[in-house]
Amino acid sequence: MKFFIDSANIDEIRDAASMGVLDGVTTNPSLVSKEGRNYRELLDEILEVVDGPISAEVVATDKEGILKEGRALAAIHENIVVKIPLIPEGIKALNVLSDEGIKVNVTLCFSPTQALIAAKAGAAYISPFVGRLDDISHDGMDLIEQIVTIYDNYAFDTEVLVASIRHPLHLAQAAEMGADVATIPYSTITKIFKHPLTDSGLERFLSDWKESGQQLI
Ligand code: G3P
């Protein structure tokens, strides 16, 4: 299973990368806007820190505009994956870009049939948003199960990239379901380490060691 970080914050990306388990990065216009930085400079920095797929999203909503922005983003670096919204114009552009050998991450997926059409059009990744479905009282993880089944049934190469992850349980369920990638916000990465028994266990080991009066090195 691949771990991406869902962030445009360079400090978060650096810290996650230093753990040695980071395979890629996803960004979106909202995350980029929060940073208040020049998008191109930010992408260059991210590309220096992480040697893996970096999703950069278009903001055009018509086929020609998406093609123009998508080609420009892809030309920056071979690791750039062009992120395109799941709308009819996006699917038309996806067909062209994938024929040109450009990798596309199709975003804002909320249904199995949306995922099916994206795979048929040649998406490298599909990004179903689990947290936003949970927000409206639909079980987001049910969608992951459906997409994994559909893609397995027809041996699609499109990778299932679980997005809008809000907590470690989403990650555990995604792994159980066999999702290819999880894009994890920094706040959730830090929560993975939090367990009261880990904290109290470590505290006990350290106080016992101190009492023993021994030196390790
Ligand atoms: O990058 C897309 C997705 O992960 C956004 O997550 O938390 O804004 O629903 P969220």
Side-chain angles (χ1 to χ4, degrees):
M1 184 186 207
K2 285 174 250 182
F3 277 14
F4 291 1
I5 184 169
D6 196 28
S7 175
N9 181 284
I10 198 69
D11 295 329
E12 291 182 353
I13 294 169
R14 264 189 229 287
D15 192 48
S18 71
M19 291 176 200
V21 294
L22 192 63
D23 302 294
V25 181
T26 53
T27 65
N28 64 41
S30 305
L31 292 171
V32 172
S33 144
K34 259 198 335 198
E35 298 307 309
R37 294 194 44 196
N38 175 276
Y39 190 25
R40 179 59 205 267
E41 282 172 19
L42 189 55
L43 278 179
D44 285 341
E45 272 187 57
I46 296 173
L47 285 159
E48 264 178 43
V49 176
V50 181
D51 184 17
I54 314 293
S55 286
E57 189 160 339
V58 299
V59 288
T61 53
D62 62 294
K63 178 186 168 186
E64 290 312 317
I66 293 172
L67 286 176
K68 200 171 160 199
E69 290 179 359
R71 287 176 183 136
L73 288 169
I76 294 173
H77 193 282
E78 59 182 4
N79 282 350
I80 293 284
V81 173
V82 177
K83 207 169 171 191
I84 291 180
L86 214 161
I87 55 175
E89 292 294 293
I91 294 297
K92 291 175 198 166
L94 158 61
N95 246 305
V96 178
L97 293 174
S98 75
D99 282 351
E100 291 174 8
I102 292 172
K103 285 195 169 177
V104 174
N105 173 2
V106 178
T107 190
L108 290 168
C109 172
F110 294 95
S111 79
T113 43
Q114 286 181 323
L116 183 54
I117 202 164
K120 281 187 72 70
Y125 302 92
I126 185 71
S127 288
F129 279 28
V130 294
R132 292 193 196 182
L133 279 170
D134 290 354
D135 288 345
I136 57 160
S137 303
H138 284 259
D139 188 342
M141 295 313 298
D142 282 350
L143 175 59
I144 302 304
E145 201 158 31
Q146 286 176 296
I147 298 173
V148 168
T149 302
I150 290 168
Y151 284 8
D152 281 353
N153 284 348
Y154 298 99
F156 282 118
D157 291 332
T158 308
E159 294 189 46
V160 180
L161 192 167
V162 182
S164 188
I165 283 179
R166 300 277 166 78
H167 45 69
L169 187 57
H170 277 148
L171 178 59
Q173 289 172 321
E176 277 178 353
M177 289 171 187
D180 303 283
V181 191
T183 190
I184 318 167
Y186 187 77
S187 57
T188 302
I189 295 176
T190 60
K191 282 182 196 154
I192 293 171
F193 295 96
K194 293 218 180 303
H195 198 289
L197 292 179
T198 303
D199 296 342
S200 60
L202 179 61
E203 208 175 301
R204 175 80 175 274
F205 284 156
L206 295 180
S207 70
D208 287 348
W209 182 256
K210 203 172 173 189
E211 242 174 67
S212 79
Q214 300 213 53
Q215 293 283 343
L216 190 67
I217 48 172

